[in-house]
Amino acid sequence: MKDKIIVLNFGGQYDQLIVRRVRENGVYAELHDCDVDIEKLNLDGLKGIILTGGPQSVYDENSLKANDKIFDLNVPILGICYGMQYINKVYGGEIEHMQKGEYGKTPLFVDTNSKLFKDVPQESIVWMNHRDGVTKSAQGFKKIAWTLNCPVAAFENEQKNIYAVQFHPEVVHSEYGSQIITNFLKEICDVNMDWKMENVAEDMINEIKEKYDGEKMICALSGGVDSSVAANLVHKAIGDNLKCIFVNHGLLRKNEVEEVLAKYKEIGLNVKLVDASKEFLDLLKGVTDPEEKRKIIGNHFIKVFEREAKEIGGAKYLVQGTIYPDVIESGKDKASVIKSHHNVGGLPETMDFEGVVEPLRDLFKDEVRQLGLSIGMPEEMIWRQPFPGPGLGIRVVGDITEEKLKIVRETDYILREEFKNYGIDRDIWQYFTVFTPIRTVGVKGDERTYDYMVVIRAIISVDAMTVEAAELPYELLQKLSSRMINEVEGVGRVVYDITSKPPGTIEFE
């Protein structure tokens, strides 16, 4: 039985980041809505609870509330921002709308005698993001930190084992934030920090083997890291009872089919190639709305799998490479729908499978890569560029045609080739090109041209939840622009996208 921390989400923008920070300490953490039914949770191994921040005021009529049974579980609790205010309200303290808000980097002064601030200097910089604040601590709670504008920036009740901070220790802008989280886990919760991908992989394989022994499954392979790791994991559990289907939906990158099949053969997967490109492109003809494109591609994927499953015969389950960010962005928990993912949300009623097997559903992208390496998968496959299920269908803005697909394939190939030549192909989290329907005037060979604009997207990230544009060398950008315009017919202008996430997303659609 592994130790674990439960994170209760009050709708804050850093909720997944808190989970990640706990996991980085070698402790399993899982996220639930703040008002989750405690009686339905598996509390085995529970060592502590963290309450996240949130955008509301605790005194708003419709503000989010936790199931207050959490305070009777006899485990340490850490409140962050809104979580702190909520704790103070529950125990009878006072919270007010402050005369001055605090946003961004703020000097913090702490009582270093607190377990929470072990090895944290008396003064440091933290990340604040609040207007409401604790003005009077609840009875039994002791102030352990303050700022010039926030009289109670942290408090504790050692008897009840409850701690809280007004700032955000989970973000990198808080100088000693990682130390504070480690202190809560190690000094207060007394957890075993032994949650590692090697152990996770072994547990997953054993669990699949035990639960699905003798059952046949079909795996939806896309060629990307997630589905490949999921397939290999399940294959190690049930062997030849797993049949993999790799669908060419006509929206793959240049040479993708040949390269991917070679790698699958190398790791011993039983893969059937299905060329359904004409079917997909016919369905997508004239469709411009990105959500509609995603749904058309996702729904037809299911139909193709159903059809192939009948030919194979006896497959009851569909294996998918769903990962945690897919679930979050599709509007689970307290988050809003950013974009739908075709492998999230359950099975259509008409589907001929009994269920979906998603072994990676609770893991972030970097954890998936670590898990893949831990089960012996080739590095080239693990470090393959992330590629969305809808493929180039969401990298062609507007309606999809063969001409546009050719432009984005060729420019993407040049981009990947030059990044490898420049030695940065593994330093950049993700990079690709996007076709835009914007046409611009140009000159080639003394003649006027009116060709399309292509966008280069290159981003750095840890988990795909937040990203920044990569700072590419200017000489590299010049070379990319020159090659794409000179070598790819129809390209008249190349631009570089420097939008971060948020407010943007990784993909254009």
Side-chain angles (χ1 to χ4, degrees), residues 84 214 224 314 397 403 415 462 464 506:
M84 175 181 182
V397 177
E403 177 196 13
L415 180 69
V462 174
I506 295 176

Side-chain angles (χ1 to χ4, degrees), residues 349-383:
E349 292 181 4
T350 58
M351 196 169 179
D352 289 339
F353 297 110
E354 289 186 9
V356 172
V357 177
E358 298 171 310
L360 312 178
R361 187 181 178 90
D362 295 325
L363 300 183
F364 293 95
K365 176 74 76 173
D366 60 316
E367 293 174 330
V368 172
R369 285 197 169 108
Q370 292 170 29
L371 189 144
L373 291 172
S374 76
I375 58 176
M377 293 180 66
E379 281 198 11
E380 312 87 72
M381 180 171 280
I382 293 302
W383 288 103

